[in-house]
Amino acid sequence: MGKKPLAVVVSLDVEEEGLFSGSYPREGAGLSNIPELRRLEFLPAEFGLPLTLLCDYPVLRHGPSLEVLAGVLSRVGGELGAHLHPWNTPPFPDMPWPEPVSTSVMPVAVFRDKLQNLQAAVADFTGSPARSFRMGRWNLFRRAMAVLPEVGFTVDSSVAPLRHVPGGPDHFLAPADPYWLRLEGPDGSGAGRLLEAPTTQLPLVPGTPRLAKRLAEAFPSRHDAVLGGFMKTLTLGVNPVWMPEATMRLAALAHAWRGGRALTLFWHSSELLPGASPHFPDKAAVEAFIAKVRRFAGWLRRTFDVRGTTLEGLAGPEFSWPACSPASRPNSTADWR
């Protein structure tokens, strides 16, 4: 019996340092982590897993960082996508909310302008706009999602199923595999077609997320505790920072066994620099992380018929993903569809 086919995406949020400190400076954050991306070239070179590098505005306007990115892409290929940190991406109009301003309240016109400036920075570097996108802090509400096709994006990866952040968008019941969206603009008109490629997270036991959601809604005072507890104890995933290696393997096996056809991994570029994130305080911790990623990539190759692809590649004609249209979600308040 042959191995089960599985598309695998390795996506990196390529960004400045200091984001685990709770501060959101407009300028001056360090970019010394960017050269560490070279350490991941073994993934495409040895395992056929191309890198999707989702870059934010400060990276795209920093000459030394662009030299690193150009070198990585010329040596091993991959995709350069976009990652929005609205607190350091112009324009910067006065708004009555502290940073980071949520896309639940940010004027859509301001969000659109920031995306257009981000796309202009990508185009200045690569010659064309990015096709793939991820929102900073996973803070993509449905009202903002509709803007993405307007500015040239065809794939989004801002949805993290089963992840609950108080005050954040409702992505809890999103599927683990990619799906097509037909989006509506603020006036109800069609805004375009978008492939959502969630980061791969799934329940330990199928069916339990809906039960948890109903329980949380039945007891509003315990809403955040119920969903947050589910996220921490009953969720499988393949994020190598969040999950132990055994959990990552179990997640991949369970996802494939349940009919899943794609894994989307992600982590941050700053997690490759010793001391730039709380998970990796020193060189030894980073080295152990790199070794963990290498082992998991090898295990995937031995276990599945792996098709390494970029986020943009998931939207290619060789894949057929289900559709999620407005008609399929009457009265829904979820932000993932």
Side-chain angles (χ1 to χ4, degrees):
M1 185 174 179
K3 297 177 181 178
K4 188 172 181 62
L6 193 66
V8 177
V9 173
V10 177
S11 62
L12 276 291
D13 292 356
V14 180
E15 56 192 26
E16 67 280 3
E17 292 119 44
L19 297 175
F20 298 94
S21 63
S23 61
Y24 300 91
R26 186 172 297 176
E27 297 178 347
L31 290 166
S32 57
N33 73 91
I34 306 304
E36 302 300 316
L37 291 170
R38 300 181 183 121
R39 303 198 62 187
L40 299 179
E41 292 184 14
F42 72 88
L43 286 168
E46 298 179 27
F47 298 104
L49 299 176
L51 304 175
T52 298
L53 304 174
L54 300 162
C55 301
D56 75 352
Y57 191 83
V59 171
L60 292 164
R61 291 304 190 197
H62 183 243
S65 294
L66 294 180
E67 290 179 11
V68 172
L69 292 168
V72 171
L73 293 171
S74 66
R75 287 188 296 272
V76 295
E79 177 187 3
L80 191 130
H83 182 52
L84 180 66
H85 286 173
W87 57 88
N88 58 27
T89 305
F92 303 111
D94 289 333
M95 291 187 284
W97 308 281
E99 296 289 6
V101 178
S102 173
T103 60
S104 66
V105 295
M106 184 186 299
V108 171
V110 173
F111 182 67
R112 181 182 294 108
D113 288 345
K114 288 179 179 290
L115 288 179
Q116 289 174 336
N117 282 329
L118 182 60
Q119 284 284 46
V122 173
D124 285 347
F125 175 49
T126 66
S128 59
R131 310 303 288 176
S132 299
F133 176 78
R134 181 174 291 137
M135 183 67 195
R137 294 298 180 263
W138 310 99
N139 189 260
L140 190 64
F141 282 77
R142 193 166 67 188
R143 65 191 289 272
M145 186 180 283
V147 180
L148 299 182
E150 293 181 32
V151 298
F153 294 111
T154 58
V155 183
D156 176 62
S157 187
S158 303
V159 170
L162 303 180
R163 187 170 187 268
H164 175 71
V165 177
D170 180 5
H171 295 161
F172 193 77
L173 294 180
D177 244 11
Y179 55 94
W180 284 102
L181 290 160
R182 180 71 68 179
L183 297 167
E184 294 176 344
D187 60 356
S189 62
R193 196 165 179 250
L194 184 72
L195 182 70
E196 181 57 49
T199 58
T200 306
Q201 296 194 144
L202 59 153
L204 179 64
V205 180
T208 52
R210 290 192 179 277
L211 294 176
K213 195 81 160 70
R214 289 171 187 163
L215 182 63
E217 292 170 351
F219 297 95
S221 64
R222 301 291 298 164
H223 181 275
D224 292 343
V226 169
L227 297 187
F230 190 99
M231 175 180 69
K232 293 176 181 177
T233 60
L234 296 173
T235 296
L236 304 174
V238 295
N239 179 289
V241 177
W242 293 351
M243 300 291 178
E245 190 172 348
T247 302
M248 295 170 64
R249 295 188 182 195
L250 180 58
L253 290 169
H255 186 51
W257 183 75
R258 296 172 192 174
R261 296 185 291 130
L263 292 182
T264 300
L265 290 78
F266 103 95
W267 62 93
H268 304 89
S269 59
S270 56
E271 287 161 338
L272 300 172
L273 179 69
S277 81
H279 293 99
F280 306 106
D282 52 35
K283 183 178 178 180
V286 174
E287 294 293 342
F289 175 71
I290 296 291
K292 176 183 177 181
V293 170
R294 181 184 290 274
R295 287 193 303 270
F296 185 64
W299 177 83
L300 285 174
R301 277 288 176 196
R302 293 191 301 273
T303 308
F304 300 98
D305 177 13
V306 169
R307 162 92 187 271
T309 185
T310 61
L311 280 176
E312 182 181 10
L314 288 176
E318 60 270 41
F319 295 106
S320 178
W321 305 111
C324 180
S325 68
S328 71
R329 51 170 173 77
N331 303 317
S332 172
T333 59
D335 294 290
W336 55 270
R337 55 185 180 176

